[in-house]
Amino acid sequence: MPTATVRHVGITPRQEAPGGVRPVTVVSRQLETDEATGLHTHTWGQFTYALDGVLRVSAANSSWIVPPLRAIWIAAGTMHGVTVLESARMRLLCVDMARAPFAQDLEVVEVSPLLRESIEALGQMGVGDTSPRSRLLSELILDELPRSAIRPIRVPLPSDKRLKTLCEGLLDAPGSPQTLEDWARQVGASERTLARLFERELGLSFGQWRQQVRLAHAAPLIARGVPLSQVAEQLGYASQSAFSAMFKKTFGSTPTAFFHKR
C-alpha cells in the first residue's frame, strides 16, 4: 500500500543541557506533517507536547500517540523517535534528571492549563535566562508535572519483520478493512504464523491490536472536533455507538469526556 514520504529533521535543542540554576529549559519548534526526528537519545529528560497537532513517539517497542493537551515524558538515555502526524507547534522541555518528575522512563500525561501557561511563560524568556522569575517558573513546572493525570495511549510494536510490516501498515491506515488473511498474503507469511506471532510478541490477537491502533488514532480526530460519527467511519467501525462503546470499555470514559476534560 502507498505510504507517506517521511522527511527527517533535527529537533534536538542546540543549547547547554539543563542543570544547576536552570533545571528546566524550553525549546519551541514548528514541524509539518510527516516530518520525523529519527531515533536518538538525550542526556536530559524531555517532556514533549504540541500546542496543536498530533505526534507519534516510538520508544520501548511501542508507539505512543500524543494529541493536543497530552504530553509524553521521555527519561534520559531512552532511545526514541518523533513523527508528526499532523502539523504541530511543539514545546520541548529539557529537564535535569536530578529533578526528574516521574519514576517511569515513559509517561503520557494530560497538560493542565497551569502547566501549559507556565511552559509558555518560561519559553518566552529564552534558554539562557537565569533570572529569579525563570527559576520560579521552573520550580512551578517541576511541581506541577508530577500532579498531571496519566493518560496512556500506547500501542505495542513487534520485532519480527513480517509482523512489523503488517503493524506499520495498520498504523499508517488504521481504518483498513484488510483481514489477517489479506495481510498474510501481503507480508509473505501464513495466517496461522501471524496469529501466533501476535500472541507471542504482543500478547494480543490481531483484532485486539488493531482495535488499540484505531482507538489511538481517534485521538487527533476527536481533538480537532471531528464528529464521532465521522471518526467511527474513518476508523472502520460499523457505527458511532459501536466506536463509543469500545472506547469506553478500553479507557473507562466516553470519547468526549476523555479528550475534552480540563
Side-chain angles (χ1 to χ4, degrees), residues 56-116:
R56 184 169 75 208
V57 176
S58 299
N61 293 320
S62 297
S63 179
W64 307 75
I65 306 298
V66 186
L69 298 184
R70 299 292 183 272
I72 186 166
W73 162 255
I74 305 169
T78 302
M79 186 68 69
H80 65 282
V82 179
T83 300
V84 181
L85 299 183
E86 183 178 297
S87 59
R89 289 184 293 158
M90 291 181 63
R91 297 296 183 265
L92 308 174
L93 272 71
C94 305
V95 180
D96 184 353
M97 282 302 292
R99 304 292 305 278
F102 302 104
Q104 302 298 320
D105 289 344
L106 291 156
E107 290 282 16
V108 174
V109 304
E110 181 176 325
V111 178
S112 69
L114 175 59
L115 180 56
R116 182 178 67 248

Side-chain angles (χ1 to χ4, degrees), residues 31-156:
L31 293 180
E32 301 304 320
T33 302
D34 294 328
E35 289 187 326
T37 65
L39 293 175
H40 63 286
T41 63
H42 303 293
T43 57
W44 53 81
Q46 183 168 290
F47 186 77
T48 302
Y49 90 105
L51 291 173
D52 48 44
V54 182
L55 311 175
R56 184 169 75 208
V57 176
S58 299
N61 293 320
S62 297
S63 179
W64 307 75
I65 306 298
V66 186
L69 298 184
R70 299 292 183 272
I72 186 166
W73 162 255
I74 305 169
T78 302
M79 186 68 69
H80 65 282
V82 179
T83 300
V84 181
L85 299 183
E86 183 178 297
S87 59
R89 289 184 293 158
M90 291 181 63
R91 297 296 183 265
L92 308 174
L93 272 71
C94 305
V95 180
D96 184 353
M97 282 302 292
R99 304 292 305 278
F102 302 104
Q104 302 298 320
D105 289 344
L106 291 156
E107 290 282 16
V108 174
V109 304
E110 181 176 325
V111 178
S112 69
L114 175 59
L115 180 56
R116 182 178 67 248
E117 295 304 324
S118 300
I119 291 170
E120 286 300 287
L122 183 59
Q124 291 172 8
M125 301 185 72
V127 296
D129 194 309
T130 58
S131 66
R133 176 174 169 78
S134 72
R135 293 198 293 271
L136 285 170
L137 285 169
S138 294
E139 293 301 324
L140 177 58
I141 289 170
L142 290 171
D143 183 70
E144 185 70 8
L145 279 172
R147 301 173 187 269
S148 303
I150 304 300
R151 304 293 190 193
I153 310 177
R154 171 182 173 269
V155 177

Side-chain angles (χ1 to χ4, degrees), residues 167-247:
C167 290
E168 289 177 346
L170 269 177
L171 283 170
D172 290 334
S176 170
Q178 288 180 275
T179 65
L180 188 59
E181 182 181 0
D182 295 332
W183 282 109
R185 289 193 293 268
Q186 186 169 326
V187 303
S190 70
E191 182 179 357
R192 184 176 179 180
T193 295
L194 289 179
R196 186 169 60 247
L197 287 171
F198 264 107
E199 294 289 351
R200 186 178 72 196
E201 294 207 12
L202 303 177
L204 300 167
S205 68
F206 167 71
Q208 290 170 330
W209 188 87
R210 181 173 59 182
Q211 172 186 301
Q212 287 192 211
V213 171
R214 288 176 171 177
L215 290 174
H217 278 264
L221 301 175
I222 298 172
R224 295 204 302 265
V226 175
L228 292 182
S229 58
Q230 293 184 28
V231 174
E233 182 179 358
Q234 289 185 40
L235 295 180
Y237 285 88
S239 66
Q240 176 182 330
S241 60
F243 166 71
S244 296
M246 187 56 64
F247 192 99

